[in-house]
Amino acid sequence: MSRDGLTRRTVLRALLATGAVSALTPALASCTPTSRAASMVVAGGESGGFYLEFATLLADSLQRHRVASVASVEITGGSLDNVKKLLDGEATLAVALADAASLSAGQESQHGGKIVALGRVYENYVHALVRKDSPISSIKDLAGRTVAVGTEGSGTSLITPRLFDVAKLSTITAGSSNKAVTVLPLGLNDGLAALAEKSVDALFWCGGVPTASITQAHATTPFSLLDLSALLPGLSQEYGTFYDRVLIPANSYAGMDAVWSIGVANLLLCRSDLDDATVKATVKLLVGHGDELIPQSSVGVQFLSSETLINTADIPLHPAAAAAYRELHG
């Protein structure tokens, strides 16, 4: 549930009930570019994660609604990797955490465009997973333990050291210490395997709720989630207002209690030199066909209303995206 209490499904039901969807139809019909983009590449994420599911649904929708003749998805390391692919001209669109995108805000790509947003599409949840039989009950208990912190290039690899910093946990990359956390650059699937094999004591992951790969692994190796919400004030003070207190509901993963965690807005990004017609068509697809962009494996918060789609932190909207939102919502 979002902070204003609305999920994407809730908003869609409200629009249907009021007839607002019908009212948008003429505007949506006019959004298709007269000449479609020849091809579009959406930078996604790791297999089994929400990013890749969302990116795949988006690519299918872009092609189905004639925004692009061909739209494909690229498996990537995550947020930081995706931003780099945009700047390097290897992707047309990308999903990324707001805190990761902010690191490249204002940076000029070699192709002439800067990183801009098309919209805020959903909330990401930080998962701090431990085995259910583990004595670890708080982030402080990770001192002297071995932790999987995400692959290089992922949004997880950015936020995890920030969490450790606020928790006043020192880290090392090899060896062991009574006080330091030993960190390993493992992504979701390798990290889950290591957690099951007890070669790591905890796994950090940023994704939707539930994340499909976690659901599958939890069925054979029961996990618990650590409450991270006490770190929010220090996190915001040190690193900016990208972070929210969010609840992972009970039974999001079978038998797990509800737990408070850290949320980060996830943005759909492009470069500022992406043509206006493609940008407008993509924005209007987000609004008019948002029901096609909800991965079945996840009940994570989805944003549809103009108030949330345009809330892109310190990443500016593409000018054509801002124009499209004004056309739709005034």
Side-chain angles (χ1 to χ4, degrees):
M1 193 65 75
S2 66
R3 284 173 292 174
D4 61 4
L6 296 178
T7 64
R8 176 169 292 219
R9 291 183 178 89
T10 302
V11 176
L12 283 169
R13 284 196 295 268
L15 288 173
L16 287 168
T18 61
V21 168
S22 297
L24 288 177
T25 301
L28 292 170
S30 67
C31 78
T32 304
T34 53
S35 58
R36 289 175 285 172
S39 64
M40 298 177 72
V41 177
V42 184
E46 292 184 60
S47 297
F50 192 97
Y51 278 29
L52 191 60
E53 289 185 84
F54 176 83
T56 300
L57 292 173
L58 178 59
D60 289 345
S61 192
L62 289 166
Q63 192 165 313
R64 181 183 311 114
H65 296 291
R66 301 172 62 83
V67 179
S69 297
V70 177
S72 60
V73 177
E74 186 168 348
I75 297 173
T76 71
S79 292
L80 296 172
D81 195 14
N82 290 352
V83 171
K84 185 176 185 302
K85 287 183 180 297
L86 275 183
L87 290 172
D88 290 347
E90 297 176 14
T92 317
L93 306 177
V95 284
L97 296 174
D99 58 350
S102 72
L103 297 178
S104 298
Q107 181 179 340
E108 192 86 18
S109 82
Q110 58 183 338
H111 302 276
K114 297 179 180 180
I115 295 294
V116 291
L118 295 175
R120 171 177 176 158
V121 289
Y122 67 92
E123 187 87 358
N124 240 30
Y125 296 73
V126 181
H127 294 60
L129 284 168
V130 297
R131 293 182 300 277
K132 190 173 183 178
D133 59 4
S134 168
I136 299 169
S137 61
S138 75
I139 192 169
K140 295 285 190 181
D141 295 335
L142 296 179
R145 304 282 186 168
T146 301
V147 180
V149 296
T151 55
E152 184 179 353
S154 68
T156 306
S157 72
L158 175 66
I159 194 171
T160 303
R162 293 182 173 187
L163 293 170
F164 290 162
D165 178 45
V166 172
K168 302 190 184 313
L169 291 170
S170 58
T171 61
I172 54 177
T173 55
S176 61
S177 165
N178 289 331
K179 295 183 179 180
V181 179
T182 300
V183 295
L184 298 178
L186 300 177
L188 175 62
N189 297 303
D190 289 341
L192 287 169
L195 192 56
E197 295 165 359
K198 300 187 177 182
S199 56
V200 300
D201 299 295
L203 163 68
F204 281 78
W205 163 253
C206 296
V209 174
T211 292
S213 289
I214 296 175
T215 299
Q216 184 177 0
H218 176 60
T220 55
T221 303
F223 301 127
S224 296
L225 286 161
L226 303 181
D227 187 325
L228 301 175
S229 60
L231 302 177
L232 179 59
L235 197 62
S236 297
Q237 182 176 349
E238 286 293 321
Y239 299 105
T241 57
F242 302 108
Y243 305 108
D244 303 306
R245 184 174 183 257
V246 294
L247 182 69
I248 298 179
N251 293 311
S252 295
Y253 302 99
M256 280 195 197
D257 294 333
V259 65
W260 289 99
S261 189
I262 303 295
V264 192
N266 204 358
L267 309 179
L268 181 62
L269 304 173
C270 66
R271 290 204 321 264
S272 57
D273 56 341
L274 184 60
D275 69 277
D276 289 359
T278 299
V279 169
K280 286 189 174 184
T282 302
V283 165
K284 292 178 181 180
L285 184 152
L286 292 175
V287 175
H289 301 284
D291 56 331
E292 299 177 8
L293 305 177
I294 305 173
Q296 293 301 304
S297 67
S298 179
V299 296
V301 174
Q302 302 289 316
F303 297 97
L304 179 64
S305 70
S306 59
E307 292 81 5
T308 50
L309 275 167
I310 64 175
N311 184 14
T312 57
D314 63 350
I315 307 301
L317 285 167
H318 189 294
Y325 288 121
R326 284 194 297 269
E327 288 176 19
L328 286 171
H329 303 291

Short mmCIF file of all heavy atoms in Angstrom, two decimals, residues 57-118:
data_model
loop_
_atom_site.label_atom_id
_atom_site.label_comp_id
_atom_site.label_asym_id
_atom_site.label_seq_id
_atom_site.Cartn_x
_atom_site.Cartn_y
_atom_site.Cartn_z
N LEU A 57 7.37 -6.96 -19.13
CA LEU A 57 5.99 -6.54 -19.37
C LEU A 57 5.95 -5.21 -20.11
O LEU A 57 5.13 -5.02 -21.01
CB LEU A 57 5.24 -6.43 -18.04
CG LEU A 57 4.97 -7.73 -17.29
CD1 LEU A 57 4.38 -7.43 -15.92
CD2 LEU A 57 4.04 -8.63 -18.10
N LEU A 58 6.84 -4.30 -19.74
CA LEU A 58 6.89 -3.00 -20.41
C LEU A 58 7.27 -3.15 -21.88
O LEU A 58 6.64 -2.54 -22.76
CB LEU A 58 7.87 -2.08 -19.70
CG LEU A 58 8.07 -0.69 -20.32
CD1 LEU A 58 6.76 0.08 -20.37
CD2 LEU A 58 9.13 0.11 -19.54
N ALA A 59 8.28 -3.95 -22.16
CA ALA A 59 8.70 -4.16 -23.56
C ALA A 59 7.57 -4.76 -24.38
O ALA A 59 7.31 -4.34 -25.52
CB ALA A 59 9.94 -5.05 -23.60
N ASP A 60 6.87 -5.74 -23.81
CA ASP A 60 5.74 -6.34 -24.51
C ASP A 60 4.66 -5.30 -24.80
O ASP A 60 4.09 -5.27 -25.90
CB ASP A 60 5.14 -7.47 -23.67
CG ASP A 60 6.03 -8.69 -23.59
OD1 ASP A 60 6.98 -8.79 -24.40
OD2 ASP A 60 5.78 -9.55 -22.71
N SER A 61 4.40 -4.43 -23.81
CA SER A 61 3.37 -3.42 -23.97
C SER A 61 3.78 -2.35 -24.99
O SER A 61 2.96 -1.89 -25.79
CB SER A 61 3.08 -2.78 -22.60
OG SER A 61 1.91 -2.00 -22.64
N LEU A 62 5.04 -1.96 -24.98
CA LEU A 62 5.54 -0.99 -25.96
C LEU A 62 5.35 -1.49 -27.39
O LEU A 62 4.97 -0.73 -28.29
CB LEU A 62 7.02 -0.72 -25.71
CG LEU A 62 7.39 0.09 -24.46
CD1 LEU A 62 8.89 -0.02 -24.19
CD2 LEU A 62 6.98 1.55 -24.61
N GLN A 63 5.58 -2.78 -27.57
CA GLN A 63 5.44 -3.36 -28.91
C GLN A 63 3.96 -3.56 -29.26
O GLN A 63 3.53 -3.25 -30.37
CB GLN A 63 6.19 -4.69 -28.97
CG GLN A 63 6.37 -5.23 -30.37
CD GLN A 63 7.42 -6.33 -30.44
OE1 GLN A 63 8.51 -6.18 -29.90
NE2 GLN A 63 7.08 -7.43 -31.08
N ARG A 64 3.18 -4.03 -28.28
CA ARG A 64 1.76 -4.30 -28.52
C ARG A 64 1.01 -3.02 -28.90
O ARG A 64 0.13 -3.04 -29.76
CB ARG A 64 1.13 -4.92 -27.28
CG ARG A 64 -0.36 -5.27 -27.43
CD ARG A 64 -0.95 -5.83 -26.13
NE ARG A 64 -0.11 -6.89 -25.60
CZ ARG A 64 0.57 -6.81 -24.46
NH1 ARG A 64 0.52 -5.70 -23.73
NH2 ARG A 64 1.31 -7.80 -24.04
N HIS A 65 1.36 -1.93 -28.26
CA HIS A 65 0.65 -0.67 -28.49
C HIS A 65 1.37 0.24 -29.48
O HIS A 65 1.11 1.44 -29.54
CB HIS A 65 0.42 0.05 -27.16
CG HIS A 65 -0.47 -0.73 -26.23
ND1 HIS A 65 -1.81 -0.92 -26.48
CD2 HIS A 65 -0.19 -1.42 -25.09
CE1 HIS A 65 -2.33 -1.66 -25.51
NE2 HIS A 65 -1.37 -1.97 -24.66
N ARG A 66 2.28 -0.35 -30.23
CA ARG A 66 2.88 0.29 -31.40
C ARG A 66 3.70 1.54 -31.04
O ARG A 66 3.85 2.44 -31.86
CB ARG A 66 1.80 0.63 -32.43
CG ARG A 66 1.03 -0.59 -32.92
CD ARG A 66 -0.17 -0.20 -33.78
NE ARG A 66 0.25 0.50 -34.98
CZ ARG A 66 0.68 -0.08 -36.10
NH1 ARG A 66 0.77 -1.40 -36.17
NH2 ARG A 66 1.02 0.64 -37.13
N VAL A 67 4.24 1.56 -29.82
CA VAL A 67 5.19 2.62 -29.49
C VAL A 67 6.52 2.34 -30.19
O VAL A 67 7.22 3.26 -30.61
CB VAL A 67 5.38 2.73 -27.96
CG1 VAL A 67 6.39 3.81 -27.61
CG2 VAL A 67 4.04 3.01 -27.28
N ALA A 68 6.86 1.06 -30.31
CA ALA A 68 8.07 0.63 -31.01
C ALA A 68 7.75 -0.55 -31.91
O ALA A 68 6.88 -1.37 -31.58
CB ALA A 68 9.16 0.24 -30.01
N SER A 69 8.44 -0.63 -33.02
CA SER A 69 8.27 -1.80 -33.89
C SER A 69 8.77 -3.05 -33.20
O SER A 69 8.16 -4.11 -33.27
CB SER A 69 9.02 -1.59 -35.21
OG SER A 69 8.50 -0.49 -35.92
N VAL A 70 9.92 -2.92 -32.52
CA VAL A 70 10.50 -4.03 -31.76
C VAL A 70 10.98 -3.48 -30.43
O VAL A 70 11.65 -2.45 -30.38
CB VAL A 70 11.69 -4.68 -32.51
CG1 VAL A 70 12.32 -5.77 -31.66
CG2 VAL A 70 11.25 -5.22 -33.86
N ALA A 71 10.62 -4.16 -29.34
CA ALA A 71 11.09 -3.77 -28.01
C ALA A 71 11.65 -5.00 -27.32
O ALA A 71 11.00 -6.05 -27.29
CB ALA A 71 9.96 -3.17 -27.18
N SER A 72 12.86 -4.89 -26.81
CA SER A 72 13.52 -6.03 -26.18
C SER A 72 13.98 -5.66 -24.78
O SER A 72 14.03 -4.49 -24.40
CB SER A 72 14.72 -6.49 -27.02
OG SER A 72 15.67 -5.44 -27.15
N VAL A 73 14.33 -6.69 -24.01
CA VAL A 73 14.76 -6.51 -22.62
C VAL A 73 16.18 -7.03 -22.47
O VAL A 73 16.56 -8.03 -23.08
CB VAL A 73 13.83 -7.29 -21.67
CG1 VAL A 73 14.30 -7.17 -20.22
CG2 VAL A 73 12.41 -6.79 -21.80
N GLU A 74 16.95 -6.34 -21.65
CA GLU A 74 18.31 -6.79 -21.37
C GLU A 74 18.45 -7.14 -19.90
O GLU A 74 18.07 -6.36 -19.02
CB GLU A 74 19.32 -5.70 -21.74
CG GLU A 74 20.76 -6.17 -21.59
CD GLU A 74 21.76 -5.22 -22.22
OE1 GLU A 74 21.33 -4.31 -22.96
OE2 GLU A 74 22.96 -5.40 -21.97
N ILE A 75 18.96 -8.34 -19.63
CA ILE A 75 19.28 -8.75 -18.26
C ILE A 75 20.52 -7.98 -17.82
O ILE A 75 21.51 -7.93 -18.54
CB ILE A 75 19.52 -10.26 -18.18
CG1 ILE A 75 18.25 -11.03 -18.55
CG2 ILE A 75 19.99 -10.68 -16.79
CD1 ILE A 75 18.43 -12.53 -18.65
N THR A 76 20.46 -7.38 -16.63
CA THR A 76 21.55 -6.53 -16.15
C THR A 76 21.81 -6.81 -14.68
O THR A 76 21.10 -7.58 -14.03
CB THR A 76 21.21 -5.04 -16.32
OG1 THR A 76 20.20 -4.68 -15.37
CG2 THR A 76 20.73 -4.73 -17.73
N GLY A 77 22.80 -6.10 -14.14
CA GLY A 77 23.10 -6.20 -12.72
C GLY A 77 22.17 -5.39 -11.84
O GLY A 77 22.14 -5.58 -10.63
N GLY A 78 21.41 -4.44 -12.41
CA GLY A 78 20.50 -3.64 -11.64
C GLY A 78 20.66 -2.15 -11.87
O GLY A 78 21.13 -1.71 -12.94
N SER A 79 20.28 -1.35 -10.90
CA SER A 79 20.12 0.10 -11.06
C SER A 79 21.35 0.81 -11.62
O SER A 79 21.26 1.55 -12.61
CB SER A 79 19.75 0.73 -9.72
OG SER A 79 18.47 0.34 -9.32
N LEU A 80 22.50 0.65 -10.96
CA LEU A 80 23.70 1.36 -11.40
C LEU A 80 24.11 0.93 -12.80
O LEU A 80 24.52 1.75 -13.63
CB LEU A 80 24.84 1.13 -10.41
CG LEU A 80 24.62 1.69 -9.00
CD1 LEU A 80 25.74 1.23 -8.07
CD2 LEU A 80 24.54 3.21 -9.02
N ASP A 81 24.00 -0.35 -13.06
CA ASP A 81 24.31 -0.90 -14.38
C ASP A 81 23.36 -0.32 -15.43
O ASP A 81 23.77 0.06 -16.54
CB ASP A 81 24.19 -2.42 -14.32
CG ASP A 81 24.82 -3.12 -15.52
OD1 ASP A 81 25.58 -2.47 -16.26
OD2 ASP A 81 24.58 -4.33 -15.70
N ASN A 82 22.08 -0.20 -15.07
CA ASN A 82 21.08 0.31 -16.01
C ASN A 82 21.33 1.77 -16.37
O ASN A 82 21.19 2.16 -17.54
CB ASN A 82 19.68 0.15 -15.41
CG ASN A 82 19.25 -1.29 -15.33
OD1 ASN A 82 19.91 -2.18 -15.86
ND2 ASN A 82 18.14 -1.53 -14.67
N VAL A 83 21.67 2.57 -15.38
CA VAL A 83 21.97 3.98 -15.65
C VAL A 83 23.16 4.10 -16.59
O VAL A 83 23.17 4.91 -17.53
CB VAL A 83 22.22 4.75 -14.34
CG1 VAL A 83 22.75 6.15 -14.62
CG2 VAL A 83 20.94 4.82 -13.52
N LYS A 84 24.17 3.29 -16.36
CA LYS A 84 25.35 3.29 -17.23
C LYS A 84 24.98 2.92 -18.66
O LYS A 84 25.46 3.52 -19.62
CB LYS A 84 26.42 2.34 -16.70
CG LYS A 84 27.73 2.36 -17.49
CD LYS A 84 28.77 1.46 -16.85
CE LYS A 84 30.11 1.58 -17.57
NZ LYS A 84 30.03 1.26 -19.01
N LYS A 85 24.09 1.93 -18.81
CA LYS A 85 23.69 1.51 -20.15
C LYS A 85 22.93 2.63 -20.87
O LYS A 85 23.06 2.79 -22.09
CB LYS A 85 22.86 0.23 -20.07
CG LYS A 85 23.70 -1.00 -19.74
CD LYS A 85 22.88 -2.27 -19.75
CE LYS A 85 23.78 -3.47 -19.41
NZ LYS A 85 24.85 -3.68 -20.42
N LEU A 86 22.14 3.40 -20.13
CA LEU A 86 21.49 4.56 -20.74
C LEU A 86 22.52 5.57 -21.23
O LEU A 86 22.46 6.05 -22.36
CB LEU A 86 20.56 5.23 -19.74
CG LEU A 86 19.14 4.70 -19.57
CD1 LEU A 86 18.39 5.57 -18.57
CD2 LEU A 86 18.39 4.66 -20.90
N LEU A 87 23.45 5.90 -20.36
CA LEU A 87 24.46 6.90 -20.71
C LEU A 87 25.35 6.44 -21.86
O LEU A 87 25.80 7.25 -22.68
CB LEU A 87 25.32 7.23 -19.49
CG LEU A 87 24.62 8.00 -18.37
CD1 LEU A 87 25.50 8.09 -17.13
CD2 LEU A 87 24.23 9.41 -18.83
N ASP A 88 25.60 5.13 -21.94
CA ASP A 88 26.45 4.59 -23.00
C ASP A 88 25.68 4.33 -24.29
O ASP A 88 26.27 3.87 -25.28
CB ASP A 88 27.09 3.28 -22.54
CG ASP A 88 28.14 3.50 -21.46
OD1 ASP A 88 28.54 4.65 -21.25
OD2 ASP A 88 28.55 2.51 -20.82
N GLY A 89 24.37 4.57 -24.30
CA GLY A 89 23.58 4.36 -25.50
C GLY A 89 23.22 2.92 -25.77
O GLY A 89 22.79 2.57 -26.87
N GLU A 90 23.34 2.05 -24.75
CA GLU A 90 23.03 0.63 -24.92
C GLU A 90 21.58 0.31 -24.58
O GLU A 90 21.13 -0.81 -24.80
CB GLU A 90 23.96 -0.21 -24.05
CG GLU A 90 25.43 -0.09 -24.44
CD GLU A 90 26.34 -0.86 -23.49
OE1 GLU A 90 25.81 -1.69 -22.72
OE2 GLU A 90 27.56 -0.63 -23.52
N ALA A 91 20.85 1.26 -24.01
CA ALA A 91 19.45 1.06 -23.66
C ALA A 91 18.67 2.32 -23.96
O ALA A 91 19.21 3.44 -23.89
CB ALA A 91 19.31 0.68 -22.18
N THR A 92 17.39 2.14 -24.28
CA THR A 92 16.49 3.28 -24.53
C THR A 92 15.80 3.71 -23.25
O THR A 92 15.65 4.90 -22.97
CB THR A 92 15.41 2.88 -25.56
OG1 THR A 92 15.99 2.16 -26.64
CG2 THR A 92 14.68 4.12 -26.09
N LEU A 93 15.36 2.71 -22.47
CA LEU A 93 14.69 2.93 -21.21
C LEU A 93 15.36 2.07 -20.15
O LEU A 93 15.98 1.05 -20.47
CB LEU A 93 13.20 2.55 -21.28
CG LEU A 93 12.34 3.18 -22.38
CD1 LEU A 93 10.93 2.61 -22.32
CD2 LEU A 93 12.31 4.69 -22.25
N ALA A 94 15.22 2.46 -18.90
CA ALA A 94 15.81 1.67 -17.82
C ALA A 94 15.02 1.90 -16.54
O ALA A 94 14.49 2.99 -16.30
CB ALA A 94 17.28 2.04 -17.60
N VAL A 95 14.96 0.86 -15.71
CA VAL A 95 14.41 1.02 -14.37
C VAL A 95 15.57 1.15 -13.39
O VAL A 95 16.59 0.47 -13.54
CB VAL A 95 13.49 -0.16 -13.99
CG1 VAL A 95 12.16 -0.06 -14.68
CG2 VAL A 95 14.15 -1.50 -14.30
N ALA A 96 15.42 2.03 -12.41
CA ALA A 96 16.51 2.24 -11.45
C ALA A 96 15.96 2.86 -10.18
O ALA A 96 14.96 3.60 -10.21
CB ALA A 96 17.60 3.14 -12.04
N LEU A 97 16.62 2.58 -9.07
CA LEU A 97 16.28 3.21 -7.81
C LEU A 97 16.63 4.69 -7.86
O LEU A 97 17.61 5.09 -8.49
CB LEU A 97 17.04 2.55 -6.66
CG LEU A 97 16.71 1.09 -6.39
CD1 LEU A 97 17.65 0.53 -5.32
CD2 LEU A 97 15.27 0.94 -5.95
N ALA A 98 15.81 5.50 -7.19
CA ALA A 98 16.02 6.95 -7.21
C ALA A 98 17.38 7.34 -6.65
O ALA A 98 18.03 8.25 -7.18
CB ALA A 98 14.91 7.64 -6.42
N ASP A 99 17.84 6.65 -5.60
CA ASP A 99 19.14 7.02 -5.02
C ASP A 99 20.27 6.71 -5.98
O ASP A 99 21.26 7.44 -6.06
CB ASP A 99 19.35 6.37 -3.65
CG ASP A 99 19.26 4.85 -3.66
OD1 ASP A 99 18.84 4.27 -4.69
OD2 ASP A 99 19.61 4.23 -2.64
N ALA A 100 20.14 5.61 -6.74
CA ALA A 100 21.16 5.26 -7.72
C ALA A 100 21.14 6.23 -8.90
O ALA A 100 22.19 6.67 -9.38
CB ALA A 100 20.96 3.83 -8.21
N ALA A 101 19.95 6.57 -9.37
CA ALA A 101 19.84 7.50 -10.50
C ALA A 101 20.41 8.87 -10.15
O ALA A 101 20.99 9.54 -11.01
CB ALA A 101 18.37 7.63 -10.92
N SER A 102 20.26 9.28 -8.89
CA SER A 102 20.72 10.61 -8.50
C SER A 102 22.23 10.76 -8.64
O SER A 102 22.73 11.89 -8.79
CB SER A 102 20.30 10.91 -7.07
OG SER A 102 21.05 10.15 -6.14
N LEU A 103 22.97 9.66 -8.57
CA LEU A 103 24.43 9.73 -8.68
C LEU A 103 24.86 10.23 -10.06
O LEU A 103 25.96 10.77 -10.21
CB LEU A 103 25.05 8.36 -8.41
CG LEU A 103 24.84 7.78 -7.01
CD1 LEU A 103 25.47 6.40 -6.92
CD2 LEU A 103 25.41 8.71 -5.95
N SER A 104 24.00 10.04 -11.07
CA SER A 104 24.34 10.47 -12.44
C SER A 104 23.50 11.65 -12.89
O SER A 104 23.53 12.00 -14.08
CB SER A 104 24.15 9.29 -13.41
OG SER A 104 25.03 8.22 -13.08
N ALA A 105 22.72 12.23 -11.98
CA ALA A 105 21.89 13.38 -12.36
C ALA A 105 22.77 14.51 -12.87
O ALA A 105 23.75 14.89 -12.25
CB ALA A 105 21.08 13.85 -11.15
N GLY A 106 22.42 15.03 -14.03
CA GLY A 106 23.18 16.14 -14.61
C GLY A 106 24.37 15.72 -15.44
O GLY A 106 24.97 16.54 -16.13
N GLN A 107 24.72 14.44 -15.40
CA GLN A 107 25.88 13.97 -16.17
C GLN A 107 25.52 13.86 -17.64
O GLN A 107 24.50 13.27 -18.01
CB GLN A 107 26.33 12.60 -15.64
CG GLN A 107 27.54 12.03 -16.36
CD GLN A 107 27.97 10.67 -15.78
OE1 GLN A 107 27.63 10.34 -14.65
NE2 GLN A 107 28.69 9.91 -16.57
N GLU A 108 26.34 14.44 -18.49
CA GLU A 108 26.10 14.41 -19.94
C GLU A 108 26.64 13.11 -20.52
O GLU A 108 27.78 12.72 -20.26
CB GLU A 108 26.81 15.58 -20.60
CG GLU A 108 26.40 15.81 -22.05
CD GLU A 108 25.17 16.69 -22.17
OE1 GLU A 108 24.82 17.39 -21.22
OE2 GLU A 108 24.57 16.66 -23.26
N SER A 109 25.81 12.41 -21.28
CA SER A 109 26.28 11.19 -21.93
C SER A 109 27.12 11.53 -23.15
O SER A 109 27.08 12.66 -23.65
CB SER A 109 25.09 10.32 -22.35
OG SER A 109 24.56 10.77 -23.58
N GLN A 110 27.84 10.55 -23.64
CA GLN A 110 28.66 10.76 -24.83
C GLN A 110 27.79 11.00 -26.06
O GLN A 110 28.26 11.47 -27.09
CB GLN A 110 29.56 9.56 -25.06
CG GLN A 110 28.82 8.24 -25.23
CD GLN A 110 29.76 7.07 -25.38
OE1 GLN A 110 30.90 7.23 -25.74
NE2 GLN A 110 29.27 5.88 -25.08
N HIS A 111 26.49 10.71 -25.94
CA HIS A 111 25.56 10.91 -27.05
C HIS A 111 24.83 12.25 -26.95
O HIS A 111 24.02 12.57 -27.81
CB HIS A 111 24.56 9.76 -27.10
CG HIS A 111 25.19 8.41 -27.25
ND1 HIS A 111 25.58 7.89 -28.47
CD2 HIS A 111 25.56 7.50 -26.33
CE1 HIS A 111 26.14 6.71 -28.29
NE2 HIS A 111 26.14 6.45 -26.99
N GLY A 112 25.08 13.00 -25.87
CA GLY A 112 24.51 14.33 -25.76
C GLY A 112 23.36 14.49 -24.80
O GLY A 112 23.00 15.61 -24.46
N GLY A 113 22.75 13.38 -24.35
CA GLY A 113 21.60 13.48 -23.47
C GLY A 113 21.96 13.22 -22.01
O GLY A 113 22.95 12.56 -21.71
N LYS A 114 21.13 13.75 -21.11
CA LYS A 114 21.29 13.51 -19.68
C LYS A 114 20.21 12.55 -19.21
O LYS A 114 19.22 12.30 -19.90
CB LYS A 114 21.18 14.83 -18.91
CG LYS A 114 22.27 15.84 -19.26
CD LYS A 114 22.08 17.13 -18.46
CE LYS A 114 23.17 18.14 -18.82
NZ LYS A 114 23.01 19.41 -18.06
N ILE A 115 20.41 12.00 -18.01
CA ILE A 115 19.43 11.10 -17.42
C ILE A 115 18.21 11.90 -16.97
O ILE A 115 18.33 12.87 -16.21
CB ILE A 115 20.02 10.33 -16.21
CG1 ILE A 115 21.15 9.40 -16.67
CG2 ILE A 115 18.93 9.55 -15.48
CD1 ILE A 115 20.71 8.27 -17.57
N VAL A 116 17.03 11.50 -17.43
CA VAL A 116 15.77 12.11 -17.02
C VAL A 116 14.77 10.99 -16.75
O VAL A 116 15.01 9.83 -17.08
CB VAL A 116 15.22 13.08 -18.09
CG1 VAL A 116 16.09 14.32 -18.22
CG2 VAL A 116 15.08 12.38 -19.45
N ALA A 117 13.64 11.35 -16.16
CA ALA A 117 12.64 10.35 -15.77
C ALA A 117 11.40 10.43 -16.64
O ALA A 117 11.03 11.50 -17.14
CB ALA A 117 12.26 10.55 -14.31
N LEU A 118 10.76 9.28 -16.80
CA LEU A 118 9.45 9.20 -17.41
C LEU A 118 8.36 9.05 -16.35
O LEU A 118 7.20 9.31 -16.62
CB LEU A 118 9.38 8.01 -18.38
CG LEU A 118 10.29 8.11 -19.60
CD1 LEU A 118 10.24 6.83 -20.41
CD2 LEU A 118 9.89 9.29 -20.47
#
